[in-house]
Amino acid sequence: MSNKISTMILTDEFATQEVLKLFVSEFNNLEILDSLNDYNQILNKLSSINGKIIFIVDLSNYKQEKLDLILKITQQCKNCKVLALSDNPSVDLIIQIMRAGAREFVPIPIIKNEFFEAVNKIIIQFEETKPPINKCKIISVFSNKGGIGKTSIATNLAIELSKLTKENVALIDLNFQMGDITTFLDLKPSFNISYMLENIDKINETFLLSTLEKYKNTSLYVLADPPYFKQADDIQPKQIAKLFNTLKDTFSYIIIDAEASFDGKNIAALDNSDIILLVTVANLPALRNTQRCLELFNKLGYDKDKTKIVVNRYMENDEIKEADIENVLAKQIFWKIPNNYFAIMSAINKGTPVSILNSSTNVAQSYKSLAQHISDNLLREKMVKKFENILNN
């Protein structure tokens, strides 16, 4: 039996096909399969192969149909990796392609060294024992005013990110005195953040995934607050930073339900965050508190793009309008979560995230879209850096 990697090419352009065949033939470990045009036949053929497969697909035409095909192949053919091509390499298209499951992207016209680099990356991926984790992003959900839905946002955002990306997501409760995440998720974890910090030098991926509480059949792992006040008092800011650095190796996203205070531990969490979702509601006291937060963040030297304004319990007929909020804060609103008291309270009382309890509600849809928006924005930043030279030409 051949040890070569089976390679199939799908393109509607004869010239592109010939170039790809020529380049692929220069790899000693690749074997070109006969070309097929029927998408069902392609799926059936690739599904029937036991060995490693590279599927090279040109999305210059029939984009949506080919995106659907990529998604089916990546779901059904676990030994197949997809290399996508297009003569219109926009950032949005690349995000769609990667979301469908493609591993690499090369623009058309094809430059030989770029194609070889992409193929070699895929070949290396076949040898990896686990899929690579993107650079971890730490997202803190914060407000210095309590009772405005911060924990609901952190919990539902973490759930939606785990469902969307299928990657490991850590949800950390930094409300050391009155944490509610375990209540919101109806969990009774065996370990908490104090135990984790006491054993910080022993931590590895196996330790983390077996110690943190996994939420049902998702890729979300929860690190609960300490059960006793004295344990919280013993935690030092430098331990928070060390914990985050340790978690980064295992998780693609770390979502922090931050405490409504500016003590040292909380500042350490905010300092180490890539994004701060600063939560407010449309009333004057909350907006004044949000102003103070923005002023403090400015004094701390945070980049203006690091802080994102999230308006919770938003209603279109509120006396204070969206434009009023932006004028008061001198900052654009990043996201608005609609007011749906009954859906949220029902979810809290049942210990189930609203996105799972009733995914059709407007607030559940908003959480889902927020996760998509954050994930797409992070991917867009990565793609812009990678393809900025292409996009500027």
Side-chain angles (χ1 to χ4, degrees):
M1 181 181 293
S2 172
N3 290 323
K4 291 188 176 183
I5 300 172
S6 300
T7 306
M8 181 176 284
I9 298 168
L10 175 62
T11 178
D12 303 301
E13 297 295 329
F14 177 78
T16 301
Q17 176 128 350
E18 292 304 302
V19 169
L20 288 170
K21 285 182 178 179
L22 177 63
F23 287 169
V24 170
S25 68
E26 296 189 32
F27 286 85
N28 293 327
N29 54 345
L30 300 187
E31 181 179 50
I32 300 178
L33 301 173
D34 291 337
S35 297
L36 297 171
N37 294 318
D38 183 273
Y39 294 175
N40 287 328
Q41 289 181 354
I42 292 172
L43 182 59
N44 291 335
K45 176 66 176 177
L46 297 183
S47 299
S48 68
I49 298 173
N50 292 324
K52 303 168 185 175
I53 311 164
I54 297 177
F55 180 49
I56 303 172
V57 53
D58 174 9
L59 288 92
S60 301
N61 300 308
Y62 308 106
K63 179 185 71 175
Q64 190 55 55
E65 291 87 344
K66 289 173 181 174
L67 283 171
D68 293 340
L69 177 61
I70 292 172
L71 183 61
K72 289 179 182 177
I73 287 173
T74 55
Q75 290 176 339
Q76 298 180 32
C77 309
K78 299 304 181 184
N79 56 336
C80 180
K81 302 190 187 299
V82 178
L83 168 58
L85 316 170
S86 176
D87 61 4
N88 181 27
S90 69
V91 172
D92 286 336
L93 174 62
I94 296 166
I95 289 173
Q96 288 179 288
I97 289 170
M98 295 302 178
R99 185 73 68 210
R103 292 302 186 95
E104 294 293 331
F105 175 85
V106 174
I108 297 173
I110 303 167
I111 298 173
K112 185 175 180 178
N113 64 337
E114 290 181 356
F115 178 79
F116 274 52
E117 181 181 355
V119 172
N120 281 321
K121 283 182 179 179
I122 289 177
I123 292 172
I124 291 171
Q125 289 168 17
F126 279 119
E127 306 305 321
E128 294 175 342
T129 57
K130 60 181 180 178
I133 293 177
N134 294 331
K135 184 180 179 182
C136 179
K137 293 296 180 181
I138 302 176
I139 302 171
S140 281
V141 184
F142 177 77
S143 172
N144 69 334
K145 182 177 176 61
I148 61 173
K150 181 170 53 65
T151 300
S152 286
I153 293 172
T155 303
N156 283 278
L157 173 60
I159 283 284
E160 289 299 331
L161 279 172
S162 71
K163 288 162 58 179
L164 173 69
T165 65
K166 304 296 188 295
E167 296 174 5
N168 289 338
V169 177
L171 174 60
I172 303 177
D173 197 336
L174 286 191
N175 291 281
F176 291 123
Q177 304 298 330
M178 296 289 182
D180 282 326
I181 282 178
T182 54
T183 302
F184 276 46
L185 295 176
D186 192 24
L187 294 175
K188 295 179 180 179
S190 303
F191 305 98
N192 60 69
I193 193 169
S194 291
Y195 175 84
M196 193 67 61
L197 293 173
E198 288 170 3
N199 294 274
I200 195 74
D201 294 325
K202 304 175 186 176
I203 290 178
N204 55 30
E205 181 178 358
T206 302
F207 180 92
L208 285 171
L209 298 184
S210 61
T211 305
L212 272 67
E213 192 75 15
K214 186 177 182 182
Y215 183 68
K216 297 184 177 179
N217 60 345
T218 70
S219 58
L220 174 64
Y221 294 80
V222 177
L223 184 55
D225 59 306
Y228 306 110
F229 290 167
K230 182 65 173 65
Q231 290 175 298
D233 292 339
D234 294 338
I235 296 173
Q236 301 300 313
K238 62 182 180 181
Q239 292 178 289
I240 300 296
K242 188 172 183 179
L243 174 64
F244 290 170
N245 286 331
T246 303
L247 294 174
K248 280 181 178 182
D249 292 334
T250 302
F251 296 95
S252 295
Y253 295 92
I254 299 171
I255 309 300
I256 301 163
D257 183 14
E259 193 171 37
S261 73
F262 291 116
D263 73 354
K265 294 185 285 288
N266 222 34
I267 292 295
L270 297 176
D271 285 346
N272 285 275
S273 297
D274 298 289
I275 297 172
I276 300 171
L277 298 181
L278 182 55
V279 184
T280 189
V281 293
N283 65 48
L284 196 54
L287 293 175
R288 283 177 174 166
N289 275 307
T290 304
Q291 278 182 315
R292 295 187 185 105
C293 288
L294 291 172
E295 290 169 2
L296 176 63
F297 293 165
N298 183 53
K299 291 178 181 178
L300 290 171
Y302 294 170
D303 188 285
K304 290 183 179 180
D305 291 334
K306 176 173 176 172
T307 305
K308 315 288 186 185
I309 301 297
V310 175
V311 181
N312 197 24
R313 302 171 190 159
Y314 182 78
M315 294 187 292
E316 296 291 341
N317 59 352
D318 268 343
E319 183 177 354
I320 299 177
K321 305 297 182 185
E322 179 177 352
D324 299 325
I325 296 172
E326 292 182 338
N327 286 335
V328 168
L329 300 180
K331 190 174 180 67
Q332 283 189 331
I333 294 171
F334 178 73
W335 202 258
K336 303 188 297 290
I337 298 173
N339 187 33
N340 192 329
Y341 175 83
F342 294 106
I344 291 294
M345 289 310 300
S346 178
I348 292 172
N349 290 333
K350 289 180 171 63
T352 303
V354 68
S355 56
I356 293 177
L357 181 66
N358 192 345
S359 61
S360 64
T361 58
N362 59 348
V363 67
Q365 289 296 314
S366 182
Y367 287 136
K368 180 178 180 180
S369 298
L370 174 60
Q372 179 87 55
H373 189 61
I374 288 174
S375 178
D376 282 357
N377 276 357
L378 293 173
L379 187 54
R380 182 175 284 106
E381 290 174 10
K382 178 181 176 182
M383 292 304 167
V384 166
K385 290 177 182 178
K386 186 173 181 179
F387 296 102
E388 60 184 359
N389 292 332
I390 298 168
L391 298 173
N392 290 332
N393 291 334

